[in-house]
Amino acid sequence: MTNSEAMRGLPAVHRFLSDPQVAAFEALFGRAQVKDAIARVLDNARGSLRDGVPPFGTLRDAVLADLERAQLDALVPVVNGTGVLLHTNLGRAPLAPSAIEAIRDCGEGYSNLEYDVYEGRRGSRYDRAGALLRSVTGAQDALLVNNCAAAVLLILDTFAKGREVVVARSELVEIGGGFRLPDVLERSGARLVEVGATNKVYLHDFERALAPDTALLLRSHTSNYRITGFTHDVAGADLCALGKRAGVPVVEDLGSGSLVDLAEYGLPHERTVQEALSEGMDLIAFSGDKLLGGPQAGIIAGSKPLIARLRVNPLLRALRVDKLTLAALVATLRLYAVPERRTEIPFYAMLAATPAQLRERAERYCVSVDGCEIAETSAYVGGGALPEHGIPSIGVALPGDAERVAADLRRGAQPIVSRIESGRALLDLRSILPQQDAQVITALQSIFA
Ligand SMILES: *Cc1c(COP(=O)(O)O)cnc(C)c1O
C-alpha cells in the first residue's frame, strides 16, 4: 500500500463531527476548536501510516482525549486533596457563601460601584470597602488594589521613586510567582539600601542608614522561610519610633495579613494586621486571598494623609479592583464584624475542624471504596504563613500505583489533586470541603471499580 492510498483510508472530518460524543464537545467549544482537534489527530496518524490505517474508533478516542485535555486547560473547579489550605496554584482561599452571593448579585446587573445612591451623584469605588476596612482593622484609612504585590508597588512608586528604601538583609524575600522584593524595588525606581547581616539586624543598623534621601523604612514578612539559630531582629515598635523621630514613614509588607490571632486555632501566633498598626506602622500591605479568606486583592491600611497621596497616584487606575472583587471582599469583611460568623469563611472552617470530625469523614471514604486506609497526616496553612507548622490532620491513603492514581484523579470529570506520601496517593480531608465528599467518593469508586 502506498502512502496516498493509505491517506485515502483515513476517515473524513465529517465522520468525526457526526459522532455523538465528538458532537457534544461542539456545543461546548464551537466547531472550529473541535475541527482543530480532529486535524491534530489526523496529522498525527498521517505520520505513522507505515503501520497501517488505525480503525475509526481509535482515532475518535484520540480526538476525545485531545478535547478532554483542552477542557482541563480552561479554568475549572478542582478538589484540593493536598492538605495545603491556601494553595496558590489552586486559587488560594475558597470564598464564603455570602461572598459568592454578593458576586452573583452585583455581577448579574448594575451596582453602585462609582455612584453615590444616597446623594444621586458620582461616587468612588474606593469608598465601598473603606468604612468596613477601617472598622475591622482599626486603621485611620484603607485602600484596595488588585493584590499585595500591586499594593507594595503603589507604595514604592508613590513615596520612593528615585530615593532610598532601607530594608533588613534578612527580609529580602522572594515569594512564588516572580515577586522578589529587591526586584520590585528596582522596578519602582527606588534604591535599595540593605542593612544588617543575613541573621542579625539591629535598630542602629537602620539608624545609620538614614540619609536625606531616605524615603521609607520597609519591613517584610518572611513568608516562606525562617531564619533560626543565632539571630536578632528589630521590634516593630522600635522601628516605628525611629521612623517618627526621623520623619520617615515605616511600611510593612505583611503578606498574609491575618485579622485574627491564629493561636485561637492552636497554631503558633502569627503577627496580625491590628498588631502591626498598633505598633505604629504608617502603612501596611496585605493580601485578600490568604489568611483573610476572601478574593484576590491587596489591602493598604494606615495613615490617612499617606493614603491620600496613594489615592492621587495615576498608577492606581491601572491597579484598581473590579466590582466582583469588591463585592466579595465586602461580604467577607462583614463576617469578621460578627465573631460567630467567622467559620462561614471556608478557611476558618477548615482550621476549626477537629481530628475526630475528619476521621469520621475518612471512615465514610473507607467503607465506600475498597483498599482505602485512614492515615494521620499534617496539613499546612500555605499562602506564605507558618511554612514550618504542620496541622494534625486525617487523610485517606489510596491503593495502587501512586503516580497512576494521582493522574487518574487529576484527569477525571471533576479533577482532584492529591499528594503523594510514603509511596501512596493520599487525600487530606482538611483541605477537601465536606460538601465535596460525595463526589470525591464517586470518583474514587469509578477509578477503583
Ligand atoms: C504573598 C505575599 C505577597 C504577594 O501577595 P499577592 O496578593 O499574591 O500579590 C507579597 N509580599 C509577601 C510578604 C507575601 O507573603
Side-chain angles (χ1 to χ4, degrees), residues 78-87 90 92 94 346 350-351 353 358 361 365 377 379-381 393-394 417-419 426-434 436-437:
V78 153
V79 172
N80 176 9
T82 65
V84 180
L85 307 184
L86 300 170
H87 198 304
L90 304 183
R92 292 193 186 153
M350 289 172 179
L351 274 192
L358 298 175
R361 289 170 54 200
Y365 279 67
T377 62
Y380 290 89
V381 167
S393 187
I394 297 291
V417 184
S418 59
R419 76 162 185 258
L426 182 131
L427 296 173
D428 191 313
L429 290 191
R430 199 177 281 282
S431 59
I432 296 178
L433 304 169
Q436 295 175 323
D437 283 345

Side-chain angles (χ1 to χ4, degrees), residues 92 147-150 173 175 179 220-221 223 253-256 287 289-290 297 383-384:
R92 292 193 186 153
N147 54 19
C148 185
V173 59
I175 62 158
F179 181 96
S220 177
H221 192 280
S223 300
D253 174 8
L254 271 174
S256 241
S287 294
D289 56 352
K290 293 184 179 172

Side-chain angles (χ1 to χ4, degrees), residues 52-300:
V53 179
F56 175 72
T58 307
L59 292 169
R60 188 208 49 189
D61 288 350
V63 169
L64 291 174
D66 185 297
L67 289 166
E68 271 159 22
R69 185 180 172 147
Q71 199 169 8
L72 294 181
D73 284 341
L75 187 65
V76 295
V78 153
V79 172
N80 176 9
T82 65
V84 180
L85 307 184
L86 300 170
H87 198 304
T88 297
N89 299 156
L90 304 183
R92 292 193 186 153
L95 295 177
S98 60
I100 308 285
E101 238 169 78
I103 287 178
R104 204 202 48 227
D105 291 348
C106 292
E108 219 163 47
Y110 301 99
S111 60
N112 64 339
L113 182 63
E114 293 189 348
Y115 184 71
D116 182 331
V117 179
Y118 191 84
E119 299 292 346
R121 59 176 183 227
R122 198 176 191 292
S124 165
R125 76 174 65 214
Y126 300 107
D127 294 337
R128 299 290 156 258
L132 253 173
L133 279 170
R134 285 193 298 274
S135 80
V136 168
T137 63
Q140 277 180 7
D141 202 2
L143 184 62
L144 213 56
V145 289
N146 260 322
N147 54 19
C148 185
V152 173
L153 182 66
L154 181 68
I155 291 170
L156 293 173
D157 182 85
T158 306
F159 300 107
K161 211 179 203 127
R163 301 183 62 205
E164 291 181 353
V165 176
V166 187
V167 192
R169 194 165 263 123
S170 55
E171 293 181 354
L172 292 172
V173 59
E174 171 177 324
I175 62 158
F179 181 96
R180 189 182 255 190
L181 197 53
D183 296 350
V184 175
L185 264 153
E186 192 189 309
R187 291 296 310 189
S188 71
R191 286 198 305 282
L192 168 64
V193 177
E194 292 174 47
V195 295
T198 309
N199 55 329
K200 289 201 174 208
V201 65
Y202 298 92
L203 192 64
H204 60 74
D205 292 318
F206 283 95
E207 210 159 359
R208 244 179 287 164
L210 287 171
D213 232 11
T214 307
L216 302 172
L217 303 180
L218 179 64
R219 276 193 103 188
S220 177
H221 192 280
T222 60
S223 300
N224 44 15
Y225 67 98
R226 290 285 173 270
I227 295 176
T228 56
F230 190 53
T231 63
H232 190 273
D233 208 351
V234 176
D238 293 342
L239 194 64
C240 293
L242 174 64
K244 291 229 161 38
R245 283 203 301 280
V248 175
V250 184
V251 173
E252 181 164 0
D253 174 8
L254 271 174
S256 241
S258 186
L259 291 171
V260 301
D261 186 353
L262 292 179
E264 280 182 44
Y265 296 89
L267 298 177
H269 176 73
E270 170 88 358
R271 193 172 159 74
T272 65
V273 164
Q274 294 89 331
E275 265 170 64
L277 289 169
S278 71
E279 281 173 358
M281 289 295 160
D282 295 287
L283 289 177
I284 58 169
F286 58 101
S287 294
D289 56 352
K290 293 184 179 172
L291 292 173
L292 196 142
Q296 179 189 303
I299 297 158
I300 304 171

Side-chain angles (χ1 to χ4, degrees), residues 1-71:
M1 192 159 66
T2 68
N3 257 3
S4 64
E5 276 174 317
M7 216 141 12
R8 254 178 269 134
L10 281 175
V13 172
H14 69 79
R15 185 147 175 228
F16 291 96
L17 290 174
S18 54
D19 178 272
Q21 275 178 281
V22 175
F25 277 101
E26 217 181 298
L28 209 60
F29 291 149
R31 179 160 281 218
Q33 197 175 336
V34 173
K35 276 181 152 174
D36 282 349
I38 297 167
R40 270 193 296 275
V41 168
L42 289 178
D43 264 355
N44 235 338
R46 249 171 235 129
S48 48
L49 280 178
R50 229 181 286 275
D51 310 328
V53 179
F56 175 72
T58 307
L59 292 169
R60 188 208 49 189
D61 288 350
V63 169
L64 291 174
D66 185 297
L67 289 166
E68 271 159 22
R69 185 180 172 147
Q71 199 169 8

